[in-house]
Amino acid sequence: MAELETKKRVFSGIQPSGTFTLGNYVGAVRNWAPLQKEFDCIYSVVNMHAITVRQQPAALRRQTYEAAAMLLAAGINPKQSIVFVQSHVPQHTQLSWVLACNTMFGELSRMTQFKDKSQKHTENVNAGLFTYPVLMAADILLYGAHGVPVGEDQKQHVELARNIAQRFNNAYSDTFIVPEPYIQKIGGRIMSLQNPAAKMSKSDENINGFISMQDDADTIVRKFKRAVTDSEARVYRSKEKAGVSNLMDIYAAMTGKTDAEIEAEFEGKGYGDFKLAVAQSVIDVFAPLQQEHARILADKAELERILEDGAQRAQHLANKMLAKVYKKVGFV
């Protein structure tokens, strides 16, 4: 029991925005279960963040269950970690208002994701899109998280959470733990199979550019066969060989092999053999995940029970922090 009490806590939120890609798997999904050994983990499907962009209600409901099932399929143990849906814990938005009153307009206007999304969704530049980094700070600070597993693109949001926590602590005395971004070094950034200069994304207009975690074996093979390489037909890493280097990154992530081992394995072989091997390595990893994901989704009652239990455990922690914050700011 003492070991559990000495573990630091991490909070991780995932958006229910549809399919996870191979890039998501390497950058996040495969790291979820190992984190449980080192940390006290809280995982939330952040469906409230999702509506900063217009959603189809039925699709959002389905994707919320799918995202929760993916957490469990990836090895999250709901008895050990807390797994819940953000909208089931109203303390997130209650704390968010208090934090918004301790966040500067200029800080939010500098957020790069707000600028990017505003340009992409010019017809719907809503207030939520501007203020959602405050809700993200509330997600983290509500649970006294010491660390937040994020990619480089989310580091700015954790920095804002740190600034808000420090500002509140300075104004009202020590209340929040100041969180650290936990940027995992395992696995490089996976790039598009069709444009190795761009990050792999499910929003890619060319469906051959990304591998979905739900793609069947035939689709995975087909997409890898079409992956961009070059005319040299030799497998080795080089800045001039972005496509091949990206495939090597994927193969290394799936098999644990080093560059030297990969180069030796495909010495004297063409790109056809290499692409098939990379495809098979992805299939071998994804097949059991897909089976477990389907099994969890097939028992909706049990999934809802897990999420309800997670929400109750999350609320227990959230109530303690919110009561402390409300008292500090003078709410009766």
Side-chain angles (χ1 to χ4, degrees), residues 43-153:
Y43 290 98
S44 179
V45 180
V46 288
N47 57 338
M48 300 178 88
H49 285 292
I51 65 168
T52 57
V53 176
R54 189 77 66 218
Q55 302 284 338
Q56 291 292 335
L60 181 59
R61 288 187 198 101
R62 185 188 76 251
Q63 289 166 2
T64 299
Y65 285 121
E66 288 174 352
M70 186 55 74
L71 282 166
L72 301 173
I76 298 302
N77 180 350
K79 292 178 181 174
Q80 181 181 356
S81 301
I82 296 176
V83 181
F84 70 101
V85 175
Q86 185 186 28
S87 63
H88 293 173
V89 182
Q91 290 88 345
H92 285 248
T93 48
Q94 290 173 286
L95 179 60
S96 182
W97 175 251
V98 178
L99 298 186
C101 296
N102 289 273
T103 306
M104 300 301 109
F105 183 89
E107 289 176 310
L108 293 177
S109 63
R110 287 192 293 273
M111 291 285 129
T112 54
Q113 289 212 346
F114 171 69
K115 294 173 187 172
D116 293 345
K117 287 192 176 181
S118 299
Q119 289 168 356
K120 283 182 186 173
H121 305 279
T122 51
E123 78 295 343
N124 184 25
V125 184
N126 58 72
L129 194 60
F130 187 69
T131 61
Y132 87 88
V134 182
L135 178 58
M136 192 171 174
D139 298 336
I140 299 162
L141 301 180
L142 193 54
Y143 299 104
H146 298 83
V148 191
V150 288
E152 284 286 351
D153 59 339

Side-chain angles (χ1 to χ4, degrees), residues 50-307:
I51 65 168
T52 57
V53 176
R54 189 77 66 218
Q55 302 284 338
Q56 291 292 335
L60 181 59
R61 288 187 198 101
R62 185 188 76 251
Q63 289 166 2
T64 299
Y65 285 121
E66 288 174 352
M70 186 55 74
L71 282 166
L72 301 173
I76 298 302
N77 180 350
K79 292 178 181 174
Q80 181 181 356
S81 301
I82 296 176
V83 181
F84 70 101
V85 175
Q86 185 186 28
S87 63
H88 293 173
V89 182
Q91 290 88 345
H92 285 248
T93 48
Q94 290 173 286
L95 179 60
S96 182
W97 175 251
V98 178
L99 298 186
C101 296
N102 289 273
T103 306
M104 300 301 109
F105 183 89
E107 289 176 310
L108 293 177
S109 63
R110 287 192 293 273
M111 291 285 129
T112 54
Q113 289 212 346
F114 171 69
K115 294 173 187 172
D116 293 345
K117 287 192 176 181
S118 299
Q119 289 168 356
K120 283 182 186 173
H121 305 279
T122 51
E123 78 295 343
N124 184 25
V125 184
N126 58 72
L129 194 60
F130 187 69
T131 61
Y132 87 88
V134 182
L135 178 58
M136 192 171 174
D139 298 336
I140 299 162
L141 301 180
L142 193 54
Y143 299 104
H146 298 83
V148 191
V150 288
E152 284 286 351
D153 59 339
Q154 289 287 336
K155 190 178 175 184
Q156 190 184 30
H157 288 128
V158 182
E159 291 298 333
L160 178 67
R162 287 172 56 82
N163 292 344
I164 295 170
Q166 288 164 340
R167 184 177 296 126
F168 190 95
N169 289 350
N170 290 338
Y172 298 103
S173 78
D174 280 357
T175 307
F176 296 119
I177 289 171
V178 180
E180 297 282 348
Y182 178 65
I183 298 170
Q184 289 151 318
K185 305 295 179 194
I186 327 162
R189 199 179 192 205
I190 302 303
M191 311 307 277
S192 164
L193 298 182
Q194 292 298 308
N195 176 16
K199 184 179 171 184
M200 183 178 284
S201 169
K202 65 179 177 292
S203 58
D204 194 328
E205 290 178 5
N206 187 340
I207 60 165
N208 293 309
F210 66 91
I211 301 292
S212 159
M213 286 186 68
Q214 298 301 327
D215 281 345
D216 61 31
D218 289 344
T219 302
I220 291 172
V221 169
R222 187 176 70 250
K223 287 182 177 180
F224 273 111
K225 279 183 176 178
R226 294 174 179 173
V228 169
T229 48
D230 52 59
S231 57
E232 193 180 359
R234 271 187 62 215
V235 176
Y236 66 95
R237 185 177 297 280
S238 166
K239 287 181 180 176
E240 283 71 49
K241 295 169 72 71
V244 172
S245 297
N246 186 42
L247 292 177
M248 288 179 71
D249 284 337
I250 294 168
Y251 196 54
M254 297 298 109
T255 63
K257 293 181 179 179
T258 64
D259 280 359
E261 288 169 335
I262 296 169
E263 288 169 16
E265 182 179 349
F266 295 98
E267 180 69 37
K269 296 180 182 177
Y271 289 154
D273 289 335
F274 179 46
K275 287 179 178 182
L276 282 176
V278 179
Q280 190 58 51
S281 72
V282 173
I283 292 164
D284 290 344
V285 170
F286 280 5
L289 265 173
Q290 289 170 351
Q291 288 169 6
E292 181 63 3
H293 190 244
R295 184 194 69 76
I296 293 165
L297 282 174
D299 190 350
K300 193 174 175 185
E302 173 61 9
L303 179 57
E304 288 181 333
R305 186 201 64 74
I306 289 169
L307 294 175

